[in-house]
Amino acid sequence: MGAKKPLFEVIASEIKDSINRDEYKTGMLMPNETALQEIFSSSRTTIRRAVDLLVEEGLVVRKNGVGLYVQPKLTAQNILEMTGVMKTDTNENLKKDIKDFYIRKAGKFYAEKFGIKENELVYSIKFVQKSEHGVTLDRLILPLSLYPDLQAKDFQIINIIELVNSGKYKLFELEQELQLILAGNEQIKNMHINENDPVFKLSSVFYAENEMPIAIQYHYEDAESTKYVVDFN
């Protein structure tokens, strides 16, 4: 008979099984080390060693001051390259400054977009990111029924593509439209640009494999400081 596995390896294996069963979804917050101590009735040292092992294997991310996350598998770059639509040199890992995070009724417009009733609830999330190129603005709309456990702090470790992929349905297809518009009140206020400055507006609709829309994103960048490469091949 082989040697008995140390307890921390057994616990790490059980957590790994939970990740594979999607009990802890990719890119989302999972129980912290204190909670894991209670779940497995084990010491802090044992749990710490189990988590360290999962971190070393690339399955879990430890974010100081926030908690533990299942390692994201998708990146915005992967999806954009896969769809062949657009690439940008903007750093997707910049810290997000969340301006709005609330739940509202879908209303007629988003009810039609998502194929839901007008009084069903959706998340409306607005955030900005600052880089050496300026400030970008994003608005994200997500049906509450597809993301019941969504938390604002999840945004600080995963990007939009990973977040969309963490709901009840997996991301299958991305449809995008690029427009050049003039800055309006929302862009002026949040991006610190002038009225009628040129702005790139990238509208993205995310679909599950069953062709169900699962998220909508509007991304705005200062057209005078942004370089895009559009690939139609």
Side-chain angles (χ1 to χ4, degrees), residues 33-214:
E33 292 185 11
T34 301
L36 291 174
Q37 289 178 50
E38 297 181 2
I39 292 172
F40 292 102
S41 300
S42 297
S43 69
R44 179 180 179 182
T45 301
T46 299
I47 294 299
R48 174 58 62 89
R49 294 185 69 186
V51 171
D52 285 344
L53 182 59
L54 294 170
V55 171
E56 289 175 8
E57 293 180 2
L59 293 174
V60 171
V61 175
R62 180 187 281 118
K63 185 74 171 178
N64 292 335
V66 180
L68 304 174
Y69 287 81
V70 180
Q71 175 69 50
K73 296 179 182 178
L74 291 175
T75 68
Q77 182 179 357
N78 289 342
I79 295 295
L80 292 175
E81 289 180 354
M82 188 169 65
T83 59
V85 176
M86 180 175 297
K87 301 166 189 175
T88 174
D89 60 2
T90 301
N91 185 353
E92 67 179 34
N93 295 315
L94 295 173
K95 184 177 180 181
K96 303 173 184 68
D97 181 6
I98 299 175
K99 299 297 184 180
D100 291 331
F101 190 104
Y102 61 89
I103 295 172
R104 48 160 283 187
K105 290 183 179 179
K108 184 177 181 179
F109 181 80
Y110 289 114
E112 291 179 355
K113 287 289 187 181
F114 288 114
I116 59 179
K117 296 179 180 179
E118 291 186 25
N119 62 355
E120 288 192 47
L121 301 177
V122 297
Y123 290 100
S124 179
I125 305 163
K126 180 171 70 176
F127 63 89
V128 299
Q129 292 178 288
K130 298 179 181 179
S131 74
E132 61 185 56
H133 303 293
V135 180
T136 62
L137 171 66
D138 286 84
R139 171 76 68 178
L140 185 65
I141 308 296
L142 302 163
L144 176 63
S145 61
L146 301 184
Y147 301 88
D149 302 319
L150 184 63
Q151 301 179 53
K153 59 185 178 182
D154 293 329
F155 275 62
Q156 297 306 331
I157 191 160
I158 61 179
N159 63 36
I160 297 299
I161 297 295
E162 295 156 351
L163 179 68
V164 170
N165 196 53
S166 69
K168 290 186 176 181
Y169 294 94
K170 298 299 181 182
L171 175 61
F172 179 74
E173 188 175 11
L174 174 63
E175 180 181 282
Q176 295 182 306
E177 179 184 7
L178 179 65
Q179 297 173 284
L180 183 62
I181 65 173
L182 299 179
N185 290 335
E186 187 172 39
Q187 291 78 40
I188 295 168
K189 178 181 177 180
N190 292 281
M191 298 171 64
H192 309 299
I193 56 179
N194 298 316
E195 184 177 3
N196 292 330
D197 277 357
V199 174
F200 280 126
K201 177 183 179 181
L202 178 63
S203 302
S204 302
V205 182
F206 304 85
Y207 294 92
E209 190 168 6
N210 57 6
E211 299 185 352
M212 173 191 292
I214 56 176

Side-chain angles (χ1 to χ4, degrees), residues 87-90 200 221 223 225-229:
K87 301 166 189 175
T88 174
D89 60 2
T90 301
F200 280 126
E221 293 194 25
S225 61
T226 302
K227 294 181 180 179
Y228 278 116
V229 176

